[in-house]
Amino acid sequence: MPDPAAPRGAFLVALVVTALILGGVTLLVALARSGGPRSGRLLPIVRVLWLGLVGAVWVGLNLVSLGWVRLGRVGPADPAPVTVEVEAQVWSYRISNPQVPAGVPVLFVVRSADTLHSLGLYDPDGQLLFTLMAMPGMEERGLFTFPRPGRYRLRCLEYCGLGHGLMAGDLVVQGR
Ligand code: CUA
């Protein structure tokens, strides 16, 4: 399980790196604008550097954030997953298996019967665990192992019309 304080650390690092890049580029731009025989050549270099750095930071942050992705895979030693099919429709969820065991991988298979919805899963303390999209004509899959029993809440996080704010469901995770 990742350290819950770690995303804050990563965010802080991202802020510092961004500030450093902005500072460096500002300095280069100021140098280029200050005139002198080589100033004309400096601006294109600054542009390329800026683009490269922004790209590197963007890719780097995304790679680092993979550590906090909660949806996983079943390893060869893990128990076989329990499948829960969720069909989203205006404005409710049809859940094939609304009671699942804790500590066993649960495979969510999410579909939509009408328009674009999503499935945000909240733990009993109201913390968002993960989201999956529900798209007409498509199927989204995600694997999650519930660490503890309790009543978990499904909520639609994609605006889908008048009843969007009321679109919710319950999933009961039972102890073993
Ligand atoms: Cu379904 Cu918003």
Side-chain angles (χ1 to χ4, degrees):
M1 212 50 193
D3 175 6
R8 238 171 290 149
F11 185 64
L12 209 66
V13 169
L15 273 183
V16 170
V17 169
T18 307
L20 282 176
I21 292 170
L22 278 175
V25 170
T26 307
L27 192 72
L28 282 172
V29 169
L31 273 175
R33 286 198 175 144
S34 68
R38 301 170 69 94
S39 61
R41 280 186 222 153
L42 217 49
L43 266 177
I45 297 172
V46 169
R47 285 198 185 113
V48 170
L49 269 180
W50 171 249
L51 202 67
L53 280 170
V54 168
V57 168
W58 188 82
V59 170
L61 283 177
N62 274 286
L63 286 178
V64 167
S65 70
L66 286 179
W68 289 284
V69 173
R70 292 172 200 247
L71 293 172
R73 294 177 186 173
V74 178
D78 293 330
V82 173
T83 300
V84 174
E85 294 188 42
V86 181
E87 189 171 60
Q89 61 199 346
V90 285
W91 288 284
S92 62
Y93 294 104
R94 214 176 348 224
I95 306 167
S96 70
N97 196 2
Q99 296 195 347
V100 294
V104 172
V106 176
L107 175 66
F108 287 90
V109 181
V110 182
R111 301 184 196 94
S112 169
D114 39 45
T115 184
L116 196 64
H117 300 277
S118 75
L119 183 164
L121 204 100
Y122 292 82
D123 73 9
D125 299 329
Q127 190 173 6
L128 180 63
L129 296 173
F130 63 84
T131 64
L132 286 167
M133 291 301 293
M135 296 170 278
M138 296 183 77
E139 198 176 86
E140 280 268 290
R141 285 166 175 256
L143 196 66
F144 186 75
T145 304
F146 291 94
R148 61 186 169 109
R151 185 173 288 274
Y152 289 68
R153 193 91 173 125
L154 278 68
R155 285 192 177 283
C156 182
L157 300 180
E158 196 69 37
Y159 183 71
C160 55
L162 280 180
H164 162 72
L166 301 172
M167 186 165 164
D170 282 322
L171 188 75
V172 175
V173 177
Q174 293 165 321
R176 286 198 290 168

